[in-house]
Amino acid sequence: MNLRESWLLFALGSAIFAALTALFGKLGVAGINSNLATFIRTLVILAVTAGILSLRAEWAKPSGWPWHSWVFLVLSGIATGLSWLCYYRALQLGPVSKVAPIDKLSVAIAIVLGLLVLGEKPSWSVLVGGLLIVAGSLVIALF
């Protein structure tokens, strides 16, 4: 397996950086408006992503892109922004040890959406894992 192109390597990287996001976000929203904190985070992400695109020479003209790519990228951006606004406010109000796991219910919701909207085929491991995520989130939230 080519690790540089492995979805698993990038998924693990995402999990590690998401955990750091929770920790740094909790520390960062202390004493400031959570919406302003989200805006600052967004500017940093924009700068980092632009830097990566520039270093890898991956800038491309969007004129030939299909319209549905634009629609879904805009919808994804709106969903991301709303998610971040909710996440930072939750971090401001609650403990990171409860907020981050509840946020990860998004994994179980994404599994359901993949099955219903994208027609993905469920496996036992995906179904059991999704149910365990939901169960774990409920235990963390309620106890």
Side-chain angles (χ1 to χ4, degrees):
M1 172 186 351
N2 181 358
L3 283 182
R4 289 184 50 142
E5 298 301 322
S6 170
W7 65 266
L8 183 57
L9 180 67
F10 286 102
L12 289 171
S14 176
I16 291 166
F17 289 121
L20 291 173
T21 296
L23 174 67
F24 296 152
K26 178 66 175 178
L27 296 170
V29 296
I32 69 169
N33 179 287
S34 62
N35 295 329
L36 179 59
T38 303
F39 178 73
I40 293 166
R41 174 187 180 187
T42 303
L43 291 176
V44 171
I45 292 167
L46 182 66
V48 168
T49 306
I52 291 169
L53 285 168
S54 296
L55 286 172
R56 295 177 53 108
E58 293 177 336
W59 289 101
K61 292 182 183 180
S63 58
W65 296 355
W67 67 270
H68 67 276
S69 291
W70 282 103
V71 169
F72 288 118
L73 288 172
V74 168
L75 290 173
S76 176
I78 291 168
T80 297
L82 292 173
S83 172
W84 291 354
L85 289 168
C86 291
Y87 188 65
Y88 267 38
R89 184 65 177 150
L91 282 174
Q92 197 169 48
L93 298 172
V96 70
S97 60
K98 289 187 179 258
V99 171
I102 299 304
D103 175 67
K104 295 312 171 211
L105 276 174
S106 62
V107 174
I109 295 167
I111 290 169
V112 171
L113 291 173
L115 297 173
L116 296 177
V117 177
L118 301 177
E120 294 179 357
K121 302 297 181 210
S123 67
W124 282 107
S125 61
V126 167
L127 294 176
V128 170
L131 288 173
L132 288 171
I133 290 168
V134 171
S137 294
L138 289 174
V139 167
I140 288 169
L142 300 176
F143 300 105

